Amino acid sequence: MAFHHGVKMETELSDFEKNMRRELDAFMKPAKATEKPTREIKPTAKPDSSAAYKTGHLVKLAVRTKQLEMDTVFEYVSASISRLEARMEAEKAAKKAGYPIIGYLIDTQRL
């Protein structure tokens, strides 16, 4: 009897996985149909170009204007040598540029 119970449980688990996969696919397909190409936003602040060497960070953030919108890449060049400070500056600049939703940090590169 225990063996029969295990087979039933496997079947239920398999059915559950199939249903979840179908629901995930249904959720993702409408987003793909209306998906806008990811836009690259040019840096909003540049370090002084007359400097002989560059300091600071290039910060890339995933941003959105609406909750269910595709992520857009927002790039910001900071003269700060601190990664954390550069990220905070980038988040403030993104919000000021009209992107109230900051998704996640994509990349931070030293200049």
Side-chain angles (χ1 to χ4, degrees):
M1 191 69 163
F3 178 73
H4 179 65
H5 181 69
V7 172
K8 182 180 178 185
M9 191 168 171
E10 283 182 32
T11 305
E12 289 175 359
L13 182 59
S14 177
D15 290 342
F16 175 76
E17 289 174 347
K18 287 178 187 175
N19 287 335
M20 290 304 294
R21 186 160 316 280
R22 184 177 25 223
E23 288 182 28
L24 284 170
D25 289 342
F27 177 77
M28 296 302 287
K29 284 181 184 175
K32 288 181 180 177
T34 61
E35 181 177 313
K36 296 182 231 172
T38 303
R39 299 170 291 186
E40 289 276 334
I41 298 175
K42 297 299 175 195
T44 57
K46 296 181 181 177
D48 186 40
S49 61
S50 64
Y53 58 92
K54 294 181 180 181
T55 60
H57 291 89
L58 171 64
V59 180
K60 293 181 183 180
L61 299 172
V63 296
R64 288 179 261 160
T65 56
K66 298 177 186 171
Q67 189 69 29
L68 295 175
E69 188 176 63
M70 295 298 294
D71 287 340
T72 301
V73 176
F74 182 84
E75 292 183 347
Y76 181 80
V77 177
S78 173
S80 174
I81 60 172
S82 165
R83 286 181 104 106
L84 180 60
E85 189 174 326
R87 180 178 177 182
M88 290 171 54
E89 288 176 10
E91 289 177 359
K92 285 181 186 177
K95 288 181 181 180
K96 190 174 182 181
Y99 294 97
I101 301 171
I102 310 297
Y104 53 90
L105 176 67
I106 295 174
D107 188 26
T108 303
Q109 298 174 351
R110 289 198 75 172
L111 297 178

